[in-house]
Amino acid sequence: MSRKRIVAGNWKMNMTPAETVGFISKLKPLVEDAEADVVVCVPAIDIVTAITATRGTNIMIGAQNMHFEESGAYTGEISPAMLESAGVKFVILGHSERREYNHETDAEINKKAIKAFEHGITPILCCGETLKQRELDLTEDFIRMQIKSALAGVSKIDVQNMIIAYEPIWAIGTGETASSEQAEEVCKTIRKCIEEMYDENTSDAVRILYGGSVNASNAAELFSQPDIDGGLVGGASLKPDFGKIVNA
Ligand code: PGA
C-alpha cells in the first residue's frame, strides 16, 4: 500500500491575517509542484483569510483546535460546524501544548476526534512522550495509551483516513530532533497498535507523521523511514524553508 505523503505546518500563535496573505503568496510557488499533500494549520483568526488566499492552489488549510460541542455557551471556542463551513479540511487535536497549557484530557480529545469526522474534517491527532517518560522506558506504553484513548469508538474507515502525528515533547521547539531511528521506532509502534485495534488494512492506510524540530536539513532523512509518512512542522513552517521541507 502506498500512502500519500503529507507535510503540515503548525503556525501556533504566529501570523496576523495581513501576514498570512503575504506568507501564502510566497509559499504558493514553492510548493505548487509538491508530490505531498500540503497543509497549513493557522490560528483561528487567520482561517478565512488563509482559505481565500489558497483558493485554486494545492495548499489546504487546517485549524489548530476545535470544541467538541456543536454550539452553545463556550466563550472563546470554535465549533466543528464553523470550521467545516469555512472550508477547513484538517484540525490538529491533542497537541502537547494544548494538553499542557489548556489541560486537555484524553477524553476530550476523543470527543473532538469523533466530532471532527462527523463534520468531514480530518484530525491530525498528536501524541508524544516527555523526556522523563523516555528515560524511564515508558514511551511505548504511554503512546499506546494515548492512541487507544483518543480513538475509542472511532470507526475503521475514519481511522484509515486520519493522520497521527508522533511528537516527542522533548523535541518540540527545542532544536533537538529525535533521530530517524527513534522516530521510526515509535511510528512503527503506533502502526502496530492500530493494527491490533483494527486490522492490517487500517494500519497500512493511516498516515503517521513525525513532528519536533523538523527543518530543511533533517526532513529528507526522517521522511525516508518506512513508517513515517511526512511531518508536522512548527517553527520551520513560518519560513520559506517550509517549501524545502514539503519537497523533501
Ligand atoms: P517545532 O514544533 O517544529 O517547532 O518543534 C512542532 C509542533 O509543535 O508541531
Side-chain angles (χ1 to χ4, degrees):
M1 145 103 48
S2 71
R3 293 178 293 270
K4 186 162 189 206
R5 310 222 150 215
I6 170 165
V7 178
N10 172 11
W11 284 1
K12 309 194 179 185
M13 198 174 70
N14 294 288
M15 300 266 192
T16 62
E19 288 165 344
T20 297
V21 174
F23 185 84
I24 296 221
S25 72
K26 283 196 204 116
L27 183 64
K28 277 195 268 196
L30 303 178
V31 300
E32 64 187 354
D33 297 321
E35 283 167 34
D37 281 337
V38 186
V39 180
V40 182
C41 298
V42 304
I45 189 89
D46 298 332
I47 288 174
V48 172
T49 306
I51 299 256
T52 308
T54 52
R55 201 157 279 147
T57 76
N58 61 336
I59 304 171
M60 294 178 278
I61 299 303
Q64 299 175 7
N65 178 41
M66 177 194 92
H67 202 275
F68 51 80
E69 291 291 353
E70 288 293 335
S71 64
Y74 300 99
T75 302
E77 294 288 340
I78 310 257
S79 78
M82 292 169 190
L83 295 183
E84 180 186 7
S85 148
V88 166
K89 298 283 177 248
F90 296 86
V91 62
I92 298 176
L93 295 181
H95 190 282
S96 61
E97 287 153 13
R98 292 205 57 87
R99 293 181 192 256
E100 181 179 354
Y101 307 132
N102 302 81
H103 314 290
E104 272 188 20
T105 64
D106 286 311
E108 284 165 343
I109 293 160
N110 175 240
K111 286 196 220 170
K112 292 181 182 196
I114 290 171
K115 268 293 160 195
F117 287 120
E118 279 175 30
H119 286 269
I121 301 169
T122 303
I124 302 176
L125 170 72
C126 299
C127 60
E129 82 287 0
T130 61
L131 187 56
K132 188 98 212 146
Q133 287 167 326
R134 176 161 283 268
E135 284 167 357
L136 292 171
D137 205 16
L138 294 172
T139 302
E140 184 165 326
D141 288 346
F142 183 68
I143 300 283
R144 282 172 171 275
M145 188 278 292
Q146 283 188 318
I147 297 289
K148 286 184 183 167
S149 318
L151 296 183
V154 177
S155 76
K156 184 153 90 169
I157 299 295
D158 283 342
V159 173
Q160 290 174 7
N161 291 310
M162 76 179 294
I163 319 269
I164 298 175
Y166 166 55
E167 299 205 304
I169 295 173
W170 48 272
I172 296 179
T174 57
E176 192 183 336
T177 320
S179 69
S180 49
E181 293 78 24
Q182 285 172 323
E184 166 62 17
E185 192 185 12
V186 180
C187 291
K188 193 175 178 165
T189 298
I190 294 171
R191 209 176 291 288
K192 190 94 220 310
C193 178
I194 299 288
E195 186 186 331
E196 289 160 12
M197 290 174 71
Y198 297 91
D199 55 26
E200 206 180 326
N201 272 347
T202 308
S203 65
D204 270 351
V206 66
R207 290 187 286 177
I208 304 177
L209 310 183
Y210 167 78
S213 300
V214 174
N215 59 43
S217 26
N218 60 27
E221 160 145 19
L222 285 159
F223 300 172
S224 69
Q225 301 301 310
D227 288 293
I228 301 181
D229 304 313
L232 181 57
V233 185
S237 74
L238 298 165
K239 300 179 228 148
D241 257 18
F242 185 61
K244 292 192 196 136
I245 300 175
V246 166
N247 293 309

